[in-house]
Amino acid sequence: MGNEHSHDGKKTKQSAHDGAKGDHVDPRAKTAFNVLSAGTNTVTEAHVKKQFTEDLADSLWKYFSADSPSASGLTFEQLSSKLIPLFGTSTDIYVKICQPIHHFIKVCLESAGGQAYENDVTFINLLIKDITKHGDAWTSIVEWKNVRCPRFCHALQGVVLNKLLNYDMPNIDLSSDVLSPLQMLYLQSSLPTSYFPKDKASGEIVRWTPLYTSAMQGVSVNRFETNVFDYKGHTVSIFSTRDKRTVVIASDTTLRNSTAPYGGSDTVYYEISPALMRIEAMNSIYSNFKIRSASLGFSFKDLLKIDKELSEVTAIEVWGCAAGNSLQEQRKLREWQNNQAERNKKVPLPGNWDDNPDKSLLEMAGFQFSNERANMEMEARRREEANKS
């Protein structure tokens, strides 16, 4: 499991210097122009398409050529003022460039290395509804990004900086046995920064450690306690339930058996399905599976209540977010990654793709959905039925 690496840190070949006032040419703009133009005097649409995927290239070219349409290409003088905003600490410009909203979501997901799955159609509609709560103008979407998901465009900017300035790519991993890549992108983009600590030696954001996944270990109270409780650091716990809910509890306090609610200021509850909800609340987590003198079970306020046997839970996945780099944690991460492709998301997501009327609309907007997850789920059901017989 991974997370996003910010762009204010490590670069490889091109050092970043802010452009001075006056006639001084920002060296980043010159470097980027030379990359795009392949050493020629102009940048054409074909040049841009050679560097980027089709969707991103189309958006960038429209942005580059909006004020200076030219079939013969754009000169450095025409292009330099458009390049500089792409390199800033703000990613607002990318929201403006990658419109309309379906296109924006698609480009951000693909830049992070993800793709939409069939069952994502419901979540996409929920996400768009949340994004456009205050309007669908790009300025309203910027406001949503900055307030709700400040890292939603980081991978997109990372691709541009990597291609044009040879910066290191962000360290992103959207793998999950329960959430789709798009749902994981939303989650990672909206969590507080305390869930992404940096390694003291390298300064890079560390990868999350897989603590427990029912895809490998089954749904078990004992395994949940043994692998998760008393972990020294923030945790992200993902649950799927029999009533078709998918929820996430991000805890900035060590999960443990306790007779009183706990959780600091960065404790967050998410409902991913069938609704989309995000709530921050201190002293909101209650977990107790051992102390008989108090109530047993796991809960988050009145929003989530799980009994002491986890009987209503169909899948669990828990990630540790501490900055530890022990050999044991590294081995656990490698073991999880090695098995990820083989398991290949066998936990079903809610919703019936074939019956959803929004499929064609989303495909018209440019989404290409993979049926890989559905095929794996069908195969898992066949094996389960064969074992029963």
Side-chain angles (χ1 to χ4, degrees):
M1 172 65 211
N3 31 294
E4 298 188 3
H5 185 75
S6 63
H7 310 306
D8 57 354
K10 186 178 177 183
K11 292 95 180 173
T12 51
K13 297 180 181 178
Q14 174 65 32
S15 62
H17 301 285
D18 291 332
K21 295 181 179 179
D23 296 330
H24 178 69
V25 175
D26 191 313
R28 297 173 300 176
K30 195 65 178 177
T31 298
F33 183 85
N34 289 337
V35 170
L36 282 171
S37 67
T40 64
N41 294 324
T42 59
V43 171
T44 65
E45 184 176 6
H47 284 135
V48 178
K49 288 187 173 181
K50 191 172 182 179
Q51 293 292 333
F52 300 100
T53 60
E54 182 178 356
D55 288 321
L56 180 53
D58 287 343
S59 294
L60 287 171
W61 179 249
K62 288 176 183 177
Y63 165 67
F64 290 151
S65 61
D67 301 324
S68 307
S70 172
S72 59
L74 303 173
T75 65
F76 176 74
E77 289 72 22
Q78 292 173 311
L79 196 56
S80 59
S81 63
K82 294 293 186 74
L83 289 169
I84 299 304
L86 300 177
F87 311 146
T89 56
S90 170
T91 58
D92 292 357
I93 186 64
Y94 291 93
V95 179
K96 182 178 181 180
I97 291 172
C98 297
Q99 291 299 304
I101 189 169
H102 294 83
H103 180 73
F104 167 68
I105 296 172
K106 183 173 185 283
V107 172
C108 287
L109 176 60
E110 291 178 348
S111 297
Q115 65 178 122
Y117 284 93
E118 290 183 346
N119 288 323
D120 270 328
V121 63
T122 301
F123 181 75
I124 291 171
N125 290 326
L126 290 172
L127 184 59
I128 290 173
K129 184 178 180 180
D130 188 59
I131 294 173
T132 59
K133 188 183 304 180
H134 301 294
D136 59 1
W138 73 268
T139 50
S140 297
I141 299 174
V142 164
E143 183 177 355
W144 171 87
K145 173 186 70 73
N146 293 338
V147 172
R148 181 61 68 90
C149 286
R151 292 179 295 280
F152 201 77
C153 297
H154 277 194
L156 171 55
Q157 186 184 46
V159 169
V160 173
L161 296 180
N162 174 260
K163 290 289 187 179
L164 300 186
L165 300 179
N166 203 22
Y167 284 24
D168 285 344
M169 280 291 294
N171 183 12
I172 299 173
D173 184 353
L174 303 179
S175 301
S176 172
D177 286 316
V178 183
L179 300 183
S180 71
L182 179 57
Q183 291 168 334
M184 187 60 85
L185 175 62
Y186 166 78
L187 175 65
Q188 291 184 14
S189 299
S190 61
L191 280 168
T193 56
S194 60
Y195 288 84
F196 306 99
K198 292 184 178 181
D199 178 74
K200 292 181 179 179
S202 67
E204 294 186 357
I205 293 176
V206 299
R207 286 179 176 269
W208 291 352
T209 301
L211 300 180
Y212 172 61
T213 171
S214 59
M216 289 181 64
Q217 298 158 288
V219 176
S220 163
V221 173
N222 288 335
R223 294 189 186 104
F224 180 54
E225 276 191 274
T226 300
N227 289 284
V228 177
F229 279 28
D230 299 323
Y231 171 82
K232 304 302 181 183
H234 291 25
T235 54
V236 175
S237 303
I238 308 167
F239 300 89
S240 284
T241 62
R242 296 190 187 281
D243 60 355
K244 306 300 183 182
R245 297 173 69 199
T246 301
V247 301
V248 179
I249 294 180
S251 175
D252 62 356
T253 306
T254 297
L255 294 180
R256 59 190 184 273
N257 286 301
S258 174
T259 59
Y262 58 89
S265 58
D266 281 348
T267 299
V268 191
Y269 170 88
Y270 294 85
E271 183 167 324
I272 303 295
S273 175
L276 187 59
M277 181 190 309
R278 182 185 188 276
I279 296 176
E280 297 183 9
M282 297 177 62
N283 297 319
S284 50
I285 299 173
Y286 179 86
S287 56
N288 175 33
F289 294 100
K290 284 187 175 178
I291 305 171
R292 301 295 174 180
S293 60
S295 299
L296 298 175
F298 190 96
S299 63
F300 188 99
K301 287 186 167 293
D302 294 328
L303 297 170
L304 177 69
K305 293 187 181 298
I306 297 174
D307 64 29
K308 62 182 180 180
E309 285 91 17
L310 304 180
S311 60
E312 294 302 310
V313 175
T314 58
I316 310 176
E317 183 174 86
V318 185
W319 299 95
C321 310
N325 286 302
S326 70
L327 290 176
Q328 181 181 3
E329 288 176 327
Q330 292 175 18
R331 283 195 296 269
K332 289 176 72 174
L333 177 59
R334 282 196 296 270
E335 179 185 357
W336 188 91
Q337 289 173 329
N338 289 338
N339 285 283
Q340 178 67 17
E342 197 171 308
R343 296 194 307 275
N344 205 9
K345 302 180 176 64
K346 297 176 184 177
V347 180
L349 291 178
N352 188 330
W353 169 253
D354 293 329
D355 295 338
N356 198 309
D358 294 317
K359 174 182 178 181
S360 58
L361 293 177
L362 291 171
E363 287 181 335
M364 288 173 64
F367 281 92
Q368 293 180 347
F369 295 93
S370 169
N371 63 359
E372 184 178 24
R373 180 184 289 235
N375 291 339
M376 292 300 296
E377 291 165 8
M378 289 177 62
E379 181 61 28
R381 285 195 294 270
R382 289 195 193 99
R383 288 198 297 268
E384 184 177 352
E385 290 172 0
N387 291 334
K388 289 180 179 178
S389 60

